[in-house]
Amino acid sequence: MYGRDFTSILDLSAAELAMLLDLALGMKRDGCSPVLAGQTLAMVFEKPSLRTRTSFDMAMHRLGGRALYLSPREVQMGEREPVKDVARVLSRMVQGIAARTYLHSTVTELAAYADVPVVNALSDDEHPCQALADLLTLRERHGSLQGVRVAYIGDGNNVARSLAYASVLSGVDLIVATPADYALPDETIEIARALQGTGSVTQVRDPYEAVRDAAAVYADVWTSMGQEEETAQRTEDFAGYEIDAALMAAAPRDAIVMHDLPAHRGEEISDEVIESPNSVVFDQAENRMHAQQAVLASILGGVS
Ligand code: CP
Ligand code: NVA
């Protein structure tokens, strides 16, 4: 994967996805070597972040390189200067770019104009690095991903889309339960199902149907960054989609609870459930760093 962009899970084959997970698990177990010594990753973020920014920064540090955070106020991509100019300026000074954007087209435009690899650190459409960390967490729990059933409850958003693609590629059977107006678009489901992989993606309305037989129950926020004006409407529309004790009682007793964080307790997940022994949300958060190490070592360092 040396020199390639990672703007979407669709940039990976099933074999590459499996290789990244193996690499991440190996680095988590054995530590990292300084394969990125002398390299700098620029992190251009249009939205706030705790996990993604910290995990990219720490991953570069652990691989012997460094990360440079560029805040929205400084760069003002597309306002202070065109996205394509940001891409070409950064390409003259750094060896890689991680971008967190509103429009997904901003990430792909950066990738089109940059001479260095561009990694999607979340866009309105996808969150591919999160999906890698999620699969890593499932691998740690289940050994193999083949046939592992995951119930995603809530909004058919960026996190759900990347998870859908990654599930099909990796052998996970994903069931997405959303209110009618918040399902993943048919086009996304068609793209996911056309991928060369052994997993599957199914959409349903009823969260209770989704969690039956699930090995993992997954929540994300109902209102994503950039949708704040819709919060009141969304809170109304997602009623009945909270992962609470009643819903978990309908899942197998050993089903793990997943959330990409930040979580809104009392909305998409109850405090009781996220604090329960079945919750692996902080393993997921830590695995962001291990997954990113694998991505950066592969793309910037040629490690495979
Ligand atoms: N899960 C995740 O991407 O968290 P941040 O928004 O804090 O980076
Ligand atoms: N769907 C959420 C994920 C946050 C990590 C958002 O885009 O805000």
Side-chain angles (χ1 to χ4, degrees):
M1 294 180 60
Y2 183 58
R4 295 219 327 244
D5 299 311
F6 181 44
T7 61
S8 162
I9 289 288
L10 299 176
D11 291 338
L12 302 176
S13 67
E16 287 167 341
L17 176 53
M19 180 279 290
L20 284 176
L21 297 179
D22 287 342
L23 188 58
L25 284 169
M27 287 175 157
K28 184 171 181 177
R29 186 184 58 233
D30 304 329
C32 304
S33 43
V35 292
L36 299 187
Q39 298 210 37
T40 299
L41 177 77
M43 303 190 290
V44 195
F45 279 35
E46 293 183 330
K47 297 172 174 173
S49 170
L50 172 63
R51 279 144 293 274
T52 307
R53 177 183 172 182
T54 311
S55 56
F56 270 114
D57 199 330
M58 289 309 299
M60 285 303 292
H61 175 69
R62 288 157 63 99
L63 290 163
R66 60 166 302 217
L68 176 69
Y69 176 70
L70 297 165
S71 76
R73 275 209 306 192
E74 279 170 288
V75 181
Q76 299 170 44
M77 267 195 296
E79 291 172 31
R80 187 164 181 265
E81 58 191 306
V83 172
K84 60 186 180 182
D85 288 7
V86 174
R88 290 175 289 187
V89 170
L90 289 176
S91 298
R92 298 291 181 103
M93 302 187 204
V94 301
Q95 288 68 47
I97 300 169
R100 168 166 284 201
T101 65
Y102 289 95
L103 297 175
H104 186 72
S105 60
T106 303
V107 181
T108 52
E109 189 177 352
L110 279 171
Y113 283 93
D115 295 326
V116 298
V118 172
V119 178
N120 183 349
L122 180 148
S123 66
D124 285 349
D125 290 3
E126 276 216 51
H127 198 1
C129 294
Q130 180 68 51
L132 292 182
D134 298 339
L135 294 185
L136 200 55
T137 308
L138 288 165
R139 273 275 302 264
E140 288 179 324
R141 295 275 160 169
H142 289 278
S144 162
L145 295 176
Q146 193 57 48
V148 173
R149 199 173 169 93
V150 177
Y152 174 96
I153 314 296
D155 188 18
N157 59 14
N158 45 7
V159 167
R161 180 176 288 103
S162 290
L163 195 58
Y165 295 153
S167 293
V168 174
L169 286 178
S170 66
V172 167
D173 294 319
L174 180 71
I175 304 194
V176 179
T178 67
D181 292 341
Y182 296 93
L184 282 167
D186 291 344
E187 186 197 1
T188 299
I189 300 299
E190 282 161 23
I191 291 170
R193 289 183 176 154
L195 291 170
Q196 298 293 310
T198 54
S200 66
V201 53
T202 310
Q203 295 219 91
V204 297
R205 290 282 86 78
D206 181 5
Y208 283 82
E209 179 187 345
V211 304
R212 198 188 317 134
D213 304 327
V217 182
Y218 194 127
D220 183 26
V221 292
W222 292 340
T223 302
S224 286
M225 291 179 278
Q227 299 173 332
E228 289 78 6
E229 286 179 4
E230 301 169 23
T231 301
Q233 185 64 52
R234 284 173 169 268
T235 305
E236 206 174 293
D237 294 344
F238 283 98
Y241 285 82
E242 182 184 9
I243 299 181
D244 57 12
L247 185 62
M248 289 309 295
R253 284 176 69 87
D254 59 352
I256 59 172
V257 175
M258 303 180 74
H259 194 307
D260 51 297
L261 303 178
H264 298 99
R265 290 162 164 82
E267 292 182 27
E268 76 275 2
I269 193 161
S270 70
D271 185 66
E272 182 185 6
V273 167
I274 199 167
E275 298 291 348
S276 72
N278 291 28
S279 172
V280 298
V281 300
F282 299 110
D283 292 339
Q284 279 176 274
E286 179 189 335
N287 282 336
R288 293 295 309 278
M289 181 176 73
H290 303 296
Q292 250 109 262
Q293 284 166 187
V295 168
L296 294 168
S298 304
I299 287 175
L300 302 183
V303 176
S304 58

